[in-house]
Amino acid sequence: MADIDPGQLERLNAGLVEAATLTECLAVDFAALMQQALPDMGSAAVHSMAAAAGSGISKRMALAGQLILERGPDMAGALQAHGSDTVRGWACFVIGARTDLGLEERLDLIRPLADDSHFGVREWAWMAVRPHLVAELEPAIAQLAGWTDDASERVRRFASEALRPRGVWCAHIAALKQQPDLALPILEPLRADPATYVQLSVGNWLNDASKDQPDWVQALCARWLAQSPVDATARISKRALRSIKS
């Protein structure tokens, strides 16, 4: 972080530019950004963000979402077009923090952010709603199965990434660690997806599953390779099987 240009950091904290790297994402001063990008939030909210500066970024994102939600449930829509990826990420957590949404409506609201042009926003999108997906796992799988034929590879990737059994920076999903076949309505349509972005996610999903159900993953990959002998399926299977000792 010390290597970030001071001028770039100033622009990030003012909400004038997007972070170009994960390091820049992590370097953003949330209190300063909130004061600049959302001046109506008030000093108490800014103070709360400053007090949480030592917390992990996921906790600070969730806190920002909760503080913004207190200003009104429609705040997420106003933030989605902001020039700062962090602010758009806050919009994800506003949607995640709402208690008045059903599963379908929550997914409808998060979908534009799942398709955001910035890599960070796309990660915050699934992290913000993942607890709700887990709470209604089978309906969530059914809903996300409908995303697997979307024209956007980002939306298709969300369908896979949001319910990885182990995931990254998030709690594991016990049900999918024990019964990964529950997610086949999502995984099957993506087994030969042409986008590398999607292939990596599906391969990682299955690699997660291989830590608990290696025989199932091996059998699934063998079937896929037999039924769909194309490069995309081969790349997915290679990534899926990378942790299984031969």
Side-chain angles (χ1 to χ4, degrees):
M1 292 188 191
D3 294 332
I4 298 174
D5 176 74
Q8 174 69 355
L9 187 57
E10 184 177 343
R11 290 187 290 273
L12 288 166
N13 290 338
L16 300 176
V17 296
E18 294 184 340
T21 65
L22 176 58
T23 301
E24 289 188 359
C25 291
L26 295 171
V28 173
D29 182 329
F30 279 25
L33 177 59
M34 182 171 284
Q35 193 167 28
Q36 291 293 318
L38 300 170
D40 294 337
M41 284 295 294
S43 59
V46 173
H47 177 76
S48 295
M49 286 298 353
S55 302
I57 188 170
S58 297
K59 290 183 178 180
R60 287 183 286 129
M61 292 296 292
L63 174 61
Q66 187 62 56
L67 291 170
I68 295 168
L69 177 60
E70 291 172 5
R71 303 287 296 183
D74 297 327
M75 285 293 290
L79 303 181
Q80 285 184 215
H82 199 280
S84 165
D85 58 282
T86 299
V87 173
R88 299 201 302 278
W90 292 346
C92 297
F93 283 89
V94 173
I95 294 169
R98 287 181 59 175
T99 59
D100 61 327
L101 298 175
L103 178 64
E104 184 173 0
E105 187 178 3
R106 195 181 306 277
L107 285 171
D108 285 344
L109 289 173
I110 206 68
R111 191 171 188 143
L113 293 155
D115 199 24
D116 194 272
S117 61
H118 193 273
F119 66 91
V121 180
R122 298 194 297 270
E123 298 307 308
W124 296 130
W126 68 258
M127 288 186 199
V129 301
R130 181 175 161 103
H132 300 285
L133 303 182
V134 174
E136 299 183 73
L137 186 57
E138 293 193 27
I141 289 170
Q143 288 282 327
L144 292 175
W147 291 29
T148 59
D149 63 353
D150 195 274
S152 170
E153 65 183 58
R154 299 165 182 167
V155 172
R156 301 197 305 274
R157 188 257 189 179
F158 179 98
S160 168
E161 196 71 17
L163 290 177
R164 279 179 54 182
R166 290 173 177 259
V168 180
W169 292 3
C170 60
H172 294 181
I173 304 176
L176 292 178
K177 288 168 69 173
Q178 295 302 312
Q179 292 182 273
D181 57 295
L182 291 174
L184 284 176
I186 294 171
L187 300 174
E188 288 280 5
L190 300 176
R191 66 181 179 178
D193 195 280
T196 301
Y197 193 46
V198 180
Q199 294 166 16
L200 291 173
S201 180
V202 176
N204 287 338
W205 200 110
L206 293 173
N207 184 255
D208 283 358
S210 76
K211 309 293 177 56
D212 302 287
Q213 306 294 337
D215 293 343
W216 181 85
V217 173
Q218 286 179 309
L220 180 67
C221 288
R223 177 168 65 79
W224 281 6
L225 289 168
Q227 295 176 344
S228 179
V230 296
D231 290 345
T233 306
R235 285 192 289 270
I236 290 171
S237 296
K238 181 179 181 179
R239 192 165 191 85
L241 299 170
R242 69 186 187 274
S243 298
I244 297 177
K245 295 180 179 179
S246 56

